[in-house]
Amino acid sequence: MSDKKLTFKKRLHILKHHYRGKKMAPAFNALHTFLFAPDETTHSGSHVRAADDLKRTMNTVIMALVPVLLFSMFNAGYQHFSAINGFPQEFSLMNDFLTWDNFWIGIIKVLPLVVVSYGVGLLVEFIFAVIKGHEVEEGYLVTGMLVPLIVPIDTPLWMLAVAVVFGVVIGKEVFGGTGMNILNPALTIRAFLFFAYPTWMSGDKVWVYEAVERAGGPDAISGETILGYLAQNKGAEMSYSVSDMFFGFIPGSVGETSAFLILLGGLFLIFSKIASWRIMLSAVIGSLVMGLIFNGVVDAGWIGETSKFYGLMSFDFWQHLIVGGLAFGIVYMATDPVTGAQTNRGKWFYGFFIGFLSVMIRVFNPAYPEGVFLAILLMNVFAPTIDHYVVRGNVKRRMKRLKNATILPKDSAGKANELHAETV
Amino acid sequence: MSKDIRIKKGLNINLVGAAEQTTSKAVLSNVYAIRLNDFHGVTPKMLVKQGAEVKAGEPLFYNKNKENMLFVSPVSGELVEIVRGARRRILSLKILADKEQASVSNDLLNVESASKEEVKAYLLKGGCWPFVKQRPYDIIADPDTNPKAIFVSGYVTAPLAADLNYVLQGKEKELQAAITALGKLTPGKVHVSVGKSENSPLAGLSGVELHKVSGPHPAGLVGTQINKIDPINKGEAVWTVTPQDLVIIGELLLTGKFNAERIVALAGSSVKAPKYYKTKIGTEISTFLYSSGVEGDNFRVINGDVLTGSKSAPDGYLGYYNNTVTAIPEGDDYELFGWNKPVFNKISATRALTFSWMQPNKKYDLTTNTNGEHRAFVVTGMYEKVFPLDIFPMQLLKACMVKDLDEMEQLGLYEVAPEDFSLTEFVCVSKQPHQQIIREGLDLLHKEIG
């Protein structure tokens, strides 16, 4: 048979066997499996397996992020032009928002972030896979999409690249790669950026395209986030309506603004049974509870309008969910199964404290108006402890059962007397 | 007395190729084989030499660690081959069957008046002891232990497995004799479970605690029922026997002869006419596989059901404990964009562009493809949805992987057998070998703690 008759599939199959055992095999296999699901069959245990693999799981999360990404590309342009020309008087979705001009800003600003994030991150993953001789695992597929969505739009690309290398190596690979990490890699990257380059991560110049370059000039523009306004007790100067906040026509990190699309993404993830509804629901409850407490403090008159906490404390408790990164964090980051709590009961505690602490950090530390990423990282660290106590509960139940049990002696012991367990 | 057990967590795997309820007599096999793999943890010591003539029911070998545990020949004939593997480990024994079958006749035992020791000795001598399994460790029962209860599951939920209500028809007498005998071996109860709305031959037995079970797989697994009825504690043991093996035990008690006859379901989508065959333990599978016809030539023959069975060659032999033989297509082919395109023809526990949730009663034609590669544990909360035992499945698996004996013990490894993890293995996104992990964990625990 001549080579010409070989199908593409067959050629790849031959190549795969050619590369088997070689140094570059993981790199080849990673690309190969993107094209074709492998021909692997079961060896031990169940002879049939369910349809899902890790790629499908990750892909489902990415699908839930695509609407958010598209929205963010339009919003990049919308915020840019609105900062220059002022917000449109009578907002029309088709004429003011979903325009080619807006989208173009997204293409030149948001897309490069995505490309750099995936390019650098996957490169690091491939290098580690080749060095360590294991397959490229799919963890970065979601991380790579999350990273560009949680940074300010004007983040320099080199800065992002440095942060991604740090996040993937220190946040994940040193622990053993996908599935072994303690901290959410995307948030590790965000935290690195925040603490390494604070001037690029906060203030009123970073959320709108070109605001930094134009600063100080005659055509200077700025865009303050809602949390920024509130932290400075300037809530009254804000021109955003609640519906702006909910649908996301506000400045902020690239993908965090549209609570509406995040909500849809969250519902999709719950429906597809990929993300934990327990974490999402309990995080929402946690943030509402903290918000209510702060509202209560203000209502009780314990805090005056001059207090530096007044702006954020008096903010309606439920509106915390639709501004800043809280919604995005709850839906896409807190639900990371590797770094979150792993037991069903633990997920309730884990989620609740993420919501609770996010709002608390937001209000009490105006230097970190975005508390959610810190809250999630903190709870990532505590998740194993939470699980430990949940699992101990099960162990204790078993111990108690053993204590009440009557252990029969072995027949060879020759005694029919019943012994009480002395092992515990 | 009857207690109902309702299982909610689980997943029914509906496959095409269920055996039709008609029974044919399989062609007599020339050669019968005993596969040592079926007796986990047994080190065989041969009692007969290669070339010796044996009768049906005559001991072939005993367990080195329990010398009174005898393993007998299913047929009469000549021991033609002792197949050995690495380090001369015995893999299987092959017996060329005689045309005229002759059996060893044991003296009859009066089951009603026999003592515990007499019953035990009778079963050990008659070769029926290997049918009694024990937990912890999922091995053949240690005759010296004193089990707190004996469990028999007559409820079948495993995919394509033989319908016990059908194959046990007319065997009430044997079943009752076996139950009466086994009842003497435990100071506790003999728990028998049947399907809730099923008409099982087991339902009329006396001297048992009857449980009516309902719910999806793994409700029919004996491990699930033990966990719900009377979970095992450290230091305790329970014994389990499958109903089709009760029939052989019962026949030995009633006739004094070891009769290896068994009705086997031949099922699976690679079988053209799936149905039941009357045959014997150790028979060549080809004696009935090709009578039903097979589709294509790229299929896998499984001794047992698709979740817990063992791989066999088409010219392999029926396992000692199996009453189901399944043949399904091999899935050794690539699938273009298999990881992201919508899936309609496979079963899934999620809805991630997989659509089996829309048709819960549809029957699927699954292959042996893994549908993905081996990965680290990532997804959480998925095993719990199909794992009704009061145990943390992922934590227990991880404890086994890192060989943490204390943790394995505390998390309940004593209570489980590998088959209890067959469903979590099925749904596992990371394609981890759960049953193998649990098996290795049990072996380690057995070795270290005994």
Side-chain angles (χ1 to χ4, degrees), chain B residues 6 143 153 195 266 282:
Chain B
R6 236 180 99 218
S153 171
L266 175 64

Side-chain angles (χ1 to χ4, degrees), chain A residues 13 34-35 52 56 398 411, chain B residues 120 334 337 339 350 410:
Chain A
H13 179 74
F34 263 97
L35 208 51
D52 329 64
R56 178 169 293 273
R398 192 163 288 115
D411 263 11
Chain B
K120 205 180 267 183
Y334 299 93
F337 296 128
W339 60 280
T350 70
Q410 291 174 353

